[in-house]
Amino acid sequence: MMTALFSRPSTAAAPALLLTLFIHVGLAQAQTAATSGSTSTDAVRDALAKKEGDVDQAALLKATLTAADKQYSLIRKGALALTYDMGYAYIGSQVINAKFTDSTLTLFNIQNTRSHTLTNTISTDYGLMDNLTGNVTLPLVSKYSQSDSFSGITNGIGDLSMGVRWQPLELSRDMPSLTTSATFRLATGRSPFKTINGQGLGTGSGYNGLTLGANASKVMDPVAIFGSVSLTLGMAASHLNQTVGSATLVKMSPGPSLGFGMGFAYALSYKVSTTMSFQETISARSHLTMLDGTTNATATQTSGVLSFGLGVRASPKTTMNVSVGVGLSPDSPSFTLGFNMPLNL
């Protein structure tokens, strides 16, 4: 009997062979899985890694917070706004002229003066920056006077004004809103120092002036309180030739004026609000130089006006305001009436 060169494995050796085969296959699969898992992890890591040109989330958040618009109460940069104002003022006064000669009354005259002034003003505001606004104001003045020297109507352009308003700080919930202003007034109206007696009235102040002001406001729903202060410096008006009595006026040097005011606004509803304010202006003495070289000074004047107003919101961008003022001093108008309305472009 021939011996086989290849003998069949014994039954006892078969399990050991199968186990060895399974171990090799398992190790191969594990190595393949590990390699595949490592490759997948690296791929995910590479996919999530920041590439050149990608936006960093922290940088994006920082840029977003930094680029947040600051809030101001002035109009936006590049915006244009037109406003129409109508103002009426009535001044009534009595001047008593009396002259005594040798303790005897030789002249007694009561002069009644009634002046009605209607001013229509167009104001243009342009946003130079979000917190800086330039404005130009052009008034059209109509005056009607009843007096011994002149009775009639005078119409003309008033004094042209150009100025800027600057809000140094953005709006804050805890701090009041502060706005400063500078306005230069040009004597474009008819000068009261150049009018001829009995031939008309002046429609302007007669001299150039610079006004510096500041106002603050604070909203405490449903009430808003506000206050303001201003200083006006006038330039001397020279080369005059106006006859005053028996003298001739050749120069007028106005004194500075200090103004201040305060008030509050109360919202009655979403569309209706009411205001009450007080404004006072103290004007220092003005000096009048005559042709013969003599100088006279006027008295210090104090003008105080108490105003009441009503605002009606006609649309989200249009609010109409009406105000009535009462004079509180002899140098103040007897009463005033005002109307304000924005003209949307």
Side-chain angles (χ1 to χ4, degrees), residues 82-122:
L82 292 178
T83 305
Y84 168 74
D85 286 277
M86 187 278 292
Y88 167 79
Y90 170 76
I91 299 176
S93 63
Q94 288 184 338
V95 178
I96 300 177
N97 296 323
K99 182 178 180 181
F100 291 88
T101 303
D102 297 331
S103 299
T104 302
L105 181 63
T106 57
L107 174 64
F108 182 82
N109 180 32
I110 299 178
Q111 180 178 346
N112 295 313
T113 300
R114 297 176 179 87
S115 175
H116 306 263
T117 303
L118 180 65
T119 305
N120 294 278
T121 304
I122 299 295

Side-chain angles (χ1 to χ4, degrees), residues 8 65 97 102 126 133 146 170 176 237 293:
R8 185 179 178 179
L65 294 177
N97 296 323
D102 297 331
Y126 180 75
T133 299
Q146 290 178 314
E170 61 180 306

Side-chain angles (χ1 to χ4, degrees), residues 29-45:
Q29 291 179 347
Q31 184 176 1
T32 302
T35 304
S36 177
S38 176
T39 303
S40 300
T41 303
D42 293 341
V44 172
R45 185 182 295 111

Side-chain angles (χ1 to χ4, degrees), residues 31-251:
Q31 184 176 1
T32 302
T35 304
S36 177
S38 176
T39 303
S40 300
T41 303
D42 293 341
V44 172
R45 185 182 295 111
D46 291 340
L48 295 178
K50 180 182 177 181
K51 301 293 191 304
E52 184 178 358
D54 289 350
V55 179
D56 184 79
Q57 295 298 321
L60 180 61
L61 178 60
K62 181 179 180 180
T64 302
L65 294 177
T66 304
D69 291 338
K70 294 183 178 181
Q71 299 297 318
Y72 297 98
S73 59
L74 302 180
I75 62 175
R76 291 278 186 173
K77 179 180 178 180
L80 184 67
L82 292 178
T83 305
Y84 168 74
D85 286 277
M86 187 278 292
Y88 167 79
Y90 170 76
I91 299 176
S93 63
Q94 288 184 338
V95 178
I96 300 177
N97 296 323
K99 182 178 180 181
F100 291 88
T101 303
D102 297 331
S103 299
T104 302
L105 181 63
T106 57
L107 174 64
F108 182 82
N109 180 32
I110 299 178
Q111 180 178 346
N112 295 313
T113 300
R114 297 176 179 87
S115 175
H116 306 263
T117 303
L118 180 65
T119 305
N120 294 278
T121 304
I122 299 295
S123 300
T124 303
D125 294 274
Y126 180 75
L128 303 173
M129 299 176 63
D130 286 346
N131 63 336
L132 183 65
T133 299
N135 61 78
V136 178
T137 301
L138 177 63
L140 303 175
V141 181
S142 297
K143 283 188 174 182
Y144 175 73
S145 178
Q146 290 178 314
S147 64
D148 292 345
S149 59
F150 176 80
S151 294
I153 300 177
T154 300
N155 300 310
I157 298 176
D159 290 344
L160 178 69
S161 298
M162 298 179 294
V164 292
R165 294 194 301 272
W166 177 52
Q167 190 172 356
L169 302 175
E170 61 180 306
L171 293 177
S172 173
R173 182 181 298 272
D174 300 324
M175 299 297 294
S177 174
L178 177 65
T179 304
T180 61
S181 63
T183 303
F184 185 72
R185 186 186 69 245
L186 297 173
T188 55
R190 185 180 185 186
S191 174
F193 309 110
K194 294 182 179 181
T195 57
I196 300 175
N197 190 24
Q199 297 186 12
L201 302 171
T203 59
S205 61
Y207 58 89
N208 300 328
L210 175 64
T211 301
L212 304 175
N215 66 76
S217 61
K218 175 66 175 176
V219 177
M220 296 178 291
D221 291 335
V223 177
I225 58 175
F226 53 87
S228 64
V229 61
S230 65
L231 175 65
T232 300
L233 304 174
M235 301 175 61
S238 56
H239 306 292
L240 304 178
N241 188 23
Q242 186 181 47
T243 301
V244 182
S246 59
T248 302
L249 178 66
V250 295
K251 183 178 179 181

